[in-house]
């Protein structure tokens, strides 16, 4: 006799529970595939099931990196950032098995408020520092290298006027992270248009 696995009758077995795009937009094909993988992990991984049940992403995209490498960026709601952090290493490991050869990065969705914010929103007070361009770029950097700690930063100016941000990472994670720093740098540059190099301190 043939029996259907009970997970197909679970009320949340629709991948749309794992992605909620702004303004109710429909996910593209790649985003739908990532959402489906998250749902599959929720259904089948005893290690991740309870943690993933209330989590979802807001977007996913695949980016080309130097040397033919590819990375997958998962954007998550800022309010769920810490919940994702708790399972991030296990979740990334499982997703990288599914998307062989791609490195997975999880970045919180943040809104940058322009310098005109305080003038146009006078009744709401001054622009929060966490929403400035500089603060958001710093936060993206923290997300990219998580859970590795940044121990220092230095900006170097080249002769042509270009600035390069040199980021020092905690050396205790070197063995685990060293193979990923080129991808970290490429993704940060694509997201912020700023050049960065990583070294271990």
């Amino acid at each position: 006799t043939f029996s259907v696995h009970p997970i197909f009758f679970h009320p949340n077995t629709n991948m749309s529970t794992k992605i909620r795009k702004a303004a109710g937009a429909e996910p593209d094909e790649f985003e739908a595939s990532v959402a489906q993988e998250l749902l599959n992990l929720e259904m089948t991984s005893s290690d991740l099931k309870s943690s993933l049940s209330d989590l979802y992403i807001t977007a996913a995209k695949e980016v080309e990196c130097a040397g033919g490498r590819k990375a997958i960026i998962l954007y998550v709601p800022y309010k769920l950032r810490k919940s994702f952090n708790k399972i991030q290493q296990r979740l990334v490991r499982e997703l990288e098995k599914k998307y062989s050869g791609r490195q997975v990065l999880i970045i919180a969705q943040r809104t940058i408020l322009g310098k005109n914010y305080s003038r146009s929103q006078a009744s709401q007070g001054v622009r929060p520092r966490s929403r400035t361009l500089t603060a958001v770029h710093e936060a993206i950097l923290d997300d990219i290298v998580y859970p590795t700690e940044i121990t220092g930063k230095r900006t170097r100016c080249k002769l042509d006027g270009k600035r390069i941000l040199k980021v020092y990472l905690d050396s205790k994670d070197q063995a685990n992270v060293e193979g990923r720093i080129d991808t970290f740098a490429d993704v940060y540059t694509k997201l912020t248009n700023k050049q960065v190099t990583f070294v271990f301190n």
Side-chain angles (χ1 to χ4, degrees), residues 154-165:
R154 184 175 298 162
T155 301
R156 187 161 55 90
C157 290
K158 295 170 70 176
L159 292 175
D160 61 5
K162 287 183 180 176
R163 290 168 173 255
I164 296 181
L165 179 64

Side-chain angles (χ1 to χ4, degrees), residues 107-121:
I107 296 177
Q109 195 90 49
R110 296 175 175 88
T111 304
I112 297 169
L113 299 177
K115 292 180 180 178
N116 294 329
Y117 173 80
S118 56
R119 287 193 289 274
S120 60
Q121 304 284 333

Side-chain angles (χ1 to χ4, degrees), residues 154 156 164-169 181 185 195-199:
R154 184 175 298 162
R156 187 161 55 90
I164 296 181
L165 179 64
K166 193 172 188 178
V167 177
Y168 297 87
L169 300 176
I181 58 175
Q195 283 189 289
V196 64
T197 60
F198 293 96
V199 292

Side-chain angles (χ1 to χ4, degrees), residues 12 23 40 49 52 56 58 71 102 115 132 145 178 186 197:
N12 288 329
N40 292 346
K49 185 177 182 123
L52 272 175
Y56 58 89
T58 56
R102 295 162 176 79
K115 292 180 180 178
T132 64
V145 303
E178 197 159 27
D186 287 345
T197 60

